[in-house]
Amino acid sequence: MIPPPENPLVVAIDVSDLGRAESLARAVGPAAGMVKVGLELFSAHGPASVARIRKIAPVFLDLKLHDIPTTVERAARNAARLGVAMLTVHALGGEAMVAAAVRGVRQGSEEAGHAAPGVLAVTVLSSLSGESLASPASLAFEAKAAGAAGTVVSGEDVAVVREVTGEEFCLVVPGIRPAGSNGHDQLRVLTPEEALDAGADYLVIGRPITGSIDPAATAKSILATIR
Ligand code: C5P
């Protein structure tokens, strides 16, 4: 069994302004295991955003890559050259694509002299619901077979995904809301404690922290509820 991370809190800094992203990262960094750079910040500032944020905290680069294997391999190689701790791809891209991402990050990190980031396969977005979605458990199983380090999975699917992937697989759960807070566009939400009890290794929390009056204090108080 892999030991649980020292700090399971990943704070999503979903903003478009790099200065604001840096000040948020500085505020929440001391309470966070990683900060998440996603499509909003990356499409505004690209690799420079990672270069700046990684000086403050380890970066979880959430690009949710989904394309033909060759393109994903090259993009993953480029992303790994930036020095990130985790990189996401879509599990729906298939086993060959996830395996290509794993090859890409190994190559890129080696070339740049960084530790290789874990490739995480996103199963089903927590803003979706419905019966027509692909099974998170089968997507996660395939991603593991392809060499992924873990998966991004909604809280309600953690237990079943853990069952098929075993203990040595990193489960990252977004759509987390401290008790009593706004669910925003997340349909399937759990509290931090519920998600960890269900088997999550990392929790991704964005707006409840970044939209609060005092992000540093909010991140700290959330961390206190789970430690
Ligand atoms: O602000 P909030 O806490 O809802 O942020 C959730 C973050 O997690 C967003 O950055 C979103 O991209 C991400 N995410 C998600 N569901 C997934 C994968 C990632 O909500 N399955």
Side-chain angles (χ1 to χ4, degrees):
M1 187 173 154
I2 43 170
E6 214 176 285
N7 183 339
L9 181 61
V10 181
V11 180
I13 46 173
D14 293 325
V15 293
S16 300
D17 182 88
L18 186 48
R20 167 93 182 120
E22 285 182 298
S23 66
L24 276 171
R26 263 187 229 105
V28 303
M34 287 183 275
V35 295
K36 194 183 83 119
V37 172
L39 292 175
E40 180 176 347
L41 184 59
F42 198 79
S43 58
H45 300 283
S49 60
V50 176
R52 300 258 292 264
I53 301 295
R54 73 185 287 274
K55 291 188 182 144
I56 304 168
V59 170
F60 178 126
L61 185 57
D62 189 20
L63 296 184
K64 299 187 176 76
L65 301 175
H66 189 176
D67 208 312
I68 58 170
T70 303
T71 301
V72 167
E73 182 168 350
R74 291 175 184 169
R77 176 179 168 194
N78 290 341
R81 294 182 65 89
L82 304 177
V84 298
M86 303 266 198
L87 173 71
T88 59
V89 303
H90 262 292
L92 279 169
E95 222 169 306
M97 190 209 79
V98 176
V102 173
R103 280 196 305 277
V105 298
R106 282 195 191 129
Q107 200 183 341
S109 52
E110 209 176 293
E111 287 163 356
H114 299 303
V119 170
L120 298 177
V122 175
T123 54
V124 180
L125 289 177
S126 43
S127 56
L128 300 177
S129 71
E131 282 164 18
S132 57
L133 298 171
S135 144
S138 61
L139 290 171
F141 184 81
E142 253 183 47
K144 188 178 182 195
T151 189
V152 180
V153 63
S154 81
E156 69 179 18
D157 297 324
V158 167
V160 64
V161 168
R162 179 66 79 197
E163 214 169 281
V164 301
T165 57
E167 292 300 323
E168 303 213 359
F169 203 55
C170 180
L171 303 188
V172 178
V173 179
I176 301 294
R177 292 293 176 265
S181 68
N182 181 342
H184 300 106
D185 52 357
Q186 303 282 13
L187 294 181
R188 294 175 280 157
V189 296
L190 289 185
T191 65
E193 298 92 323
E194 285 170 341
L196 289 174
D197 283 351
D201 292 305
Y202 286 98
L203 314 174
V204 178
I205 309 181
R207 290 164 291 181
I209 294 174
T210 56
S212 73
I213 293 168
D214 185 346
T218 307
K220 236 170 113 182
S221 74
I222 291 174
L223 185 63
T225 67
I226 53 178
R227 272 197 150 169

